[in-house]
Amino acid sequence: MNQNGVVFLVLAFLTATTVSLPSSPDRFLKSALTSLRSPDVPQEYQELTLPSPSDHLTPSCSHLLLRHSFANTINKPPYTAPYTPPPSDCTSPPWSHVNLDLRAASSGDQYDRISGLWLGGVELLRTSTAEPSPTGIFWKVRKDVTRYSSLFTRSDLNVTMMLENIVNDVYTGIYHINVTLNFYEFNTIDISRRESPADLIIPVSNDGGGNRGFWFMIENSEESYSNKIQLPLNTRKIVLELYVSSHGNDEFWYSNPPDSYIVTNKLATGRGNGAYREVVVKIDGRNVGSEVAFPVIFTGGINPLFWEPVVGIGAFNLPTYDMDLTPFLGMVLDGKEHEFALSVNNGISYWLVDANLHVWVDHEAVSVEAGSGSYDSPKRHVVRKEVLEEQLDGSFKVEAEVRSEFDGWVKSSEGNLTTVVKSVFKVGSLVKFEENGAYKRVEQRVETKRVVEVTNELGKQVNRVVHERSYPRTVITSTLRGLSNDKDMYVLVTNVSQALNERYLVGEALTEVYNRQDSDGWMQVEDHNVLAGEARTRQSLSYIDEFGCYSRTVVAANGEIDQDSSSDTCPSSSSS
Ligand SMILES: *[C@@H]1O[C@H](CO)[C@@H](O)[C@H](O)[C@H]1NC(C)=O
Ligand SMILES: *[C@@H]1O[C@H](CO)[C@@H](O)[C@H](O)[C@H]1NC(C)=O
Ligand SMILES: *[C@@H]1O[C@H](CO)[C@@H](O)[C@H](O)[C@H]1NC(C)=O
Ligand SMILES: *[C@@H]1O[C@H](CO)[C@@H](O)[C@H](O)[C@H]1NC(C)=O
C-alpha cells in the first residue's frame, strides 16, 4: 500500500471517532461574559437557607478556626494547623448551639472548586466555591455544627482544609477563606427536643489526610476504602454520617448514558456507565446501608449563568446522610477492631467520600450488652431499559428499589432497648437523546425513607423517627451549531429544575422543608468558555413545623436578584 493509502485510512478513522457532540451537561467558565457585565463593586453570592434560631443572638464566644488563601494549591497537601479550643473564660460546654461561619472572597477568573474541612479527620463541612468575576465576589456559609461539640474542647487535633485550585496566566482567582466557630451558651435556645451531641466521633476517613485530604478518592466500583475501628465497650448508640461529592466523569452521573451508546457512536467521552450510582457502607464486609446521594450542581455546572448570584441547592453546604447503625452493635461490641468500609456501586472516576461515626456511650457503666438480629442483605431490584436508535438518538431508563430492615438490642443502664431501622429508596431515571444527539433530556427522581424505632423490654415504643427525602430533577440541553463560521462555537439552550424536599417526624412532631429551583436560559460557548448568554433562576424555599412557617422566593436573572420576598405566615389552610 502506498503512503497516500495509509493517510486516507487514518483520516477516515479520525472522522468516524471524533463526533463533535459536546458531552453535555458539562462544566464551564463564565469569566469572558461576566467581565463584560460584572458590577463595579464586589457582589455577594448566596445559597438560600432557612433562618436559624442563632441568627439574632450574640454568640458568647467566637473563635477563629482558620484563615487562609488558596492560590495554586493543586497537587499540594491541604492547609493544616493545630486546633486550639476556645479559652475557658469565654465559654464552656455544654453549648446549646455551635455554628461554623465560613467567609470567602475571590476575584479574577476561576472554575468552581470542591473543598473539605476537617477537625481531627472528622469532616465538618463539604463546600464548593463560586466562580469569581474580575471585580470580585464574596459569600458566607453558616452551618450548625452542634453535633460535633465533643471535638471542640480537645487540644490534640489539627484543623485541615483541602481546596485544590489552579492559579496561572489563565486562571487568576485566589480563594480567601476565614472560618470561625460561634459558641452559644446553654438555655438561650430551646434544645429540649433535640438529641444531645455524641460523646465521641470516630472518622472513617483517609489516614493520610495530611497529604491529600481526609476524603477517600473512589474511581471505580471495585474500590473500597476502610478504617478499622474499635468501639468503647459501653457504646449504646452509633450513627454514621456520610459526606459525598462526585466529580470528573461522574460530576453529572445522573445524565450519563450506558457504555453501549458511547461505543456504538464511537464517542470520545468517559462519561458513561449509565445513570445509577449508590454509595455503600459495609461493616466487616456486610452491606449495612447505602444511599443515592443528591447530585449537587456546582457553580460552573450545566450553565454557570444560572448560579449567579444564587447558587445551586447544596453548593455551599452539601447535604450529608445519617445512618443509624445501632442494630449492629451486637456484631461489633467485642472489644476488637471492625472494618467500616465505603464504596460506590457503579461509580466511575471520581467520588470524594468519607464518614463520621457518632458514638454515644453509657456513662453509668463500663460495658453494655448487645445483640443483633439475623442479618439479611438489602433487597436490591434494578431494571435497565436501553433503546439505541438511529445515529446519536436513544433512550435509557433505570428503575431501582433498595429495601433493608435491621434490628438489634442494647442493654445499658437505660434498660434493654431494641432498635429497628427500616430503609427504602426508589430511583427512576431517564436519559434521552433526540435530533441526532443535539437534544438531551434527563429526568431523575429519588425518594428515600428511613424509619428508626426504639422499643423497651415491655415492647413499648420509646422513640420513633422518620426521615424522608425526595429529589426530583429535569435537565434539558439543546445544542445549536453552525450559527457562526467557528466550528468550535455553539449555543447551548438549557433548562434545569431541581428540588430537595425533606420530611422529618420525631414522635408526633413533623417538620417539612421544600426547596426548589427552576432555571432556563441559553449561552454561547467556545471550548469551555461562556461568551454570551441569558439566564433566569427562580427558587422557592419553605418550611413548616408545629410552631410556624417560613417561605422565601427569589428570582435571579442575568447575574442580579430581580425579586426577593419572604414570609413567616402559614398558608391559611393549615392555620385555623
Ligand atoms: C478574613 O479576616 C481578615 C481579618 O479580619 C479580613 O481582613 C478579611 O477581609 C477576611 N476575609 C474574608 C474573606 O472575609
Ligand atoms: C498535625 O499536623 C502536623 C503537621 O502536618 C503533624 O506533624 C502532626 O502529627 C499532626 N497532629 C495530629 C494530632 O494529627
Ligand atoms: C433484650 O431484649 C431482647 C429482645 O426482647 C432479647 O432478645 C434479649 O435477650 C434481651 N437481652 C437481655 C440481656 O436481657
Ligand atoms: C425551558 O423553560 C422555559 C421557561 O420555563 C420554557 O418556556 C421552555 O419551553 C423550556 N424548554 C424546554 C425544551 O422544555
Side-chain angles (χ1 to χ4, degrees):
M1 200 185 276
N2 65 26
Q3 246 181 324
N4 283 345
V6 173
V7 171
F8 173 75
L9 272 180
V10 169
L11 274 181
F13 179 71
L14 272 181
T15 347
T17 49
T18 52
V19 174
S20 59
L21 177 83
S23 111
S24 80
D26 206 339
R27 185 165 175 243
F28 299 94
L29 192 64
K30 62 162 198 217
S31 59
L33 170 66
T34 44
S35 53
L36 292 176
R37 71 166 187 224
S38 81
D40 33 346
V41 289
Q43 193 186 11
E44 178 165 13
Y45 274 53
Q46 59 177 313
E47 177 181 342
L48 297 201
T49 54
L50 293 170
S52 152
S54 67
D55 287 350
H56 305 289
L57 297 172
T58 310
S60 16
C61 175
S62 289
H63 189 57
L64 185 72
L65 192 59
L66 73 87
R67 175 175 299 153
H68 191 68
S69 294
F70 294 86
N72 193 40
T73 48
I74 183 119
N75 295 326
K76 302 228 172 75
Y79 168 82
T80 300
Y83 170 75
T84 47
S88 57
D89 63 342
C90 111
T91 173
S92 51
W95 301 289
S96 63
H97 182 81
V98 186
N99 69 41
L100 180 152
D101 182 288
L102 178 148
R103 307 277 165 136
S106 183
S107 59
D109 292 337
Q110 195 53 264
Y111 271 105
D112 60 71
R113 304 292 178 196
I114 189 69
S115 177
L117 173 66
W118 297 268
L119 187 55
V122 170
E123 188 156 357
L124 302 182
L125 174 72
R126 182 75 58 96
T127 187
S128 71
T129 63
E131 293 192 348
S133 67
T135 39
I137 64 166
F138 64 99
W139 70 91
K140 89 172 177 217
V141 185
R142 249 193 188 202
K143 179 174 178 181
D144 181 347
V145 291
T146 316
R147 69 186 307 192
Y148 308 102
S149 290
S150 67
L151 299 173
F152 300 138
T153 48
R154 287 174 61 175
S155 51
D156 57 339
L157 306 175
N158 280 338
V159 55
T160 304
M161 187 164 184
M162 185 83 173
L163 195 167
E164 281 189 280
N165 192 24
I166 298 175
V167 172
N168 57 26
D169 295 346
V170 182
Y171 307 118
T172 52
I174 294 172
Y175 289 108
H176 305 283
I177 310 271
N178 292 348
V179 184
T180 307
L181 290 175
N182 295 314
F183 296 91
Y184 298 81
E185 297 261 83
F186 213 62
N187 280 335
T188 50
I189 300 172
D190 174 39
I191 57 156
S192 51
R193 273 175 43 209
R194 211 174 54 188
E195 180 183 51
S196 60
D199 297 295
L200 77 153
I201 307 171
I202 304 174
V204 181
S205 64
N206 190 355
D207 300 332
N211 293 323
R212 298 298 298 144
F214 286 91
W215 45 40
F216 296 117
M217 186 181 196
I218 300 181
E219 298 190 277
N220 61 55
S221 240
E222 284 69 51
E223 275 180 31
S224 161
Y225 292 95
S226 63
N227 281 173
K228 289 211 154 51
I229 292 175
Q230 185 183 346
L231 287 166
L233 291 172
N234 58 348
T235 301
R236 58 175 179 87
K237 174 175 172 171
I238 51 173
V239 171
L240 185 110
E241 179 192 24
L242 199 61
Y243 275 82
V244 48
S245 55
S246 62
H247 308 277
N249 286 335
D250 257 355
E251 178 169 341
F252 307 99
W253 60 266
Y254 47 92
S255 77
N256 285 16
D259 290 347
S260 59
Y261 176 81
I262 295 169
V263 172
T264 307
N265 294 302
K266 303 188 176 65
L267 298 178
T269 177
R271 300 210 197 138
N273 215 25
Y276 185 71
R277 305 286 183 272
E278 201 185 313
V279 181
V280 178
V281 179
K282 290 184 177 167
I283 301 179
D284 297 333
R286 284 177 176 167
N287 182 330
V288 295
S290 60
E291 197 70 62
V292 175
F294 174 77
V296 172
I297 304 174
F298 304 118
T299 60
I302 305 176
N303 180 341
L305 308 181
F306 288 164
W307 320 120
E308 50 169 12
V310 174
V311 304
I313 296 169
F316 284 160
N317 182 2
L318 275 75
T320 63
Y321 306 85
D322 278 359
M323 290 178 195
D324 192 321
L325 300 179
T326 308
F328 299 100
L329 282 177
M331 279 165 46
V332 295
L333 270 198
D334 53 4
K336 299 196 179 108
E337 288 188 326
H338 292 272
E339 187 178 50
F340 286 71
L342 305 172
S343 59
V344 182
N345 274 356
N346 301 110
I348 56 174
S349 188
Y350 61 95
W351 288 69
L352 297 172
V353 185
D354 59 32
N356 302 326
L357 189 65
H358 295 255
V359 177
W360 286 261
V361 299
D362 184 351
H363 292 282
E364 318 276 297
V366 289
S367 70
V368 304
E369 274 180 86
S372 294
S374 67
Y375 173 83
D376 273 326
S377 49
K379 288 172 187 58
R380 177 177 286 99
H381 189 64
V382 183
V383 180
R384 293 172 196 265
K385 264 195 211 128
E386 303 184 355
V387 182
L388 278 163
E389 292 165 22
E390 287 283 287
Q391 297 188 301
L392 286 155
D393 291 349
S395 151
F396 310 99
K397 283 188 185 162
V398 186
E399 301 281 338
E401 185 172 316
V402 180
R403 279 180 187 275
S404 65
E405 183 169 335
F406 302 113
D407 67 279
W409 56 267
V410 177
K411 187 163 192 276
S412 69
S413 61
E414 289 189 320
N416 182 359
L417 300 180
T418 297
T419 303
V420 180
V421 177
K422 298 175 202 163
S423 85
V424 55
F425 58 82
K426 295 179 187 170
V427 182
S429 149
L430 168 74
V431 177
K432 191 170 168 53
F433 297 88
E434 291 170 29
E435 297 169 21
N436 196 13
Y439 177 92
K440 183 175 181 183
R441 182 181 180 89
V442 174
E443 284 173 35
Q444 189 196 40
R445 181 166 188 93
V446 180
E447 283 169 22
T448 72
K449 182 174 184 180
R450 272 210 165 75
V451 183
V452 179
E453 286 165 345
V454 182
T455 44
N456 66 14
E457 52 258 87
L458 304 171
K460 185 174 177 291
Q461 200 170 86
V462 292
N463 195 21
R464 182 168 190 267
V465 177
V466 181
H467 189 196
E468 288 170 88
R469 272 175 168 159
S470 75
Y471 18 109
R473 77 172 51 191
T474 302
V475 176
I476 293 167
T477 52
S478 178
T479 312
L480 311 173
R481 284 188 176 276
L483 299 173
S484 86
N485 291 332
D486 183 347
K487 63 176 174 38
D488 294 325
M489 186 119 73
Y490 59 93
V491 167
L492 201 58
V493 181
T494 47
N495 276 16
V496 174
S497 292
Q498 60 168 347
L500 177 54
N501 302 322
E502 298 194 61
R503 284 179 93 240
Y504 204 68
L505 184 70
V506 181
E508 300 286 303
L510 176 67
T511 302
E512 291 175 282
V513 179
Y514 297 93
N515 195 0
R516 179 182 174 95
Q517 287 181 321
D518 294 285
S519 309
D520 65 272
W522 62 274
M523 58 179 178
Q524 186 186 12
V525 176
E526 184 171 30
D527 188 16
H528 281 81
N529 295 312
V530 180
L531 305 181
E534 285 179 310
R536 200 178 79 114
T537 292
R538 181 182 191 278
Q539 180 167 5
S540 54
L541 172 63
S542 64
Y543 169 96
I544 178 163
D545 71 5
E546 65 199 292
F547 303 113
C549 306
Y550 170 83
S551 68
R552 184 172 172 195
T553 301
V554 172
V555 178
N558 302 322
E560 280 172 33
I561 293 195
D562 268 5
Q563 185 193 321
D564 186 350
S565 56
S566 60
S567 154
D568 54 12
T569 51
C570 293
S572 49
S573 55
S574 58
S575 67
S576 50

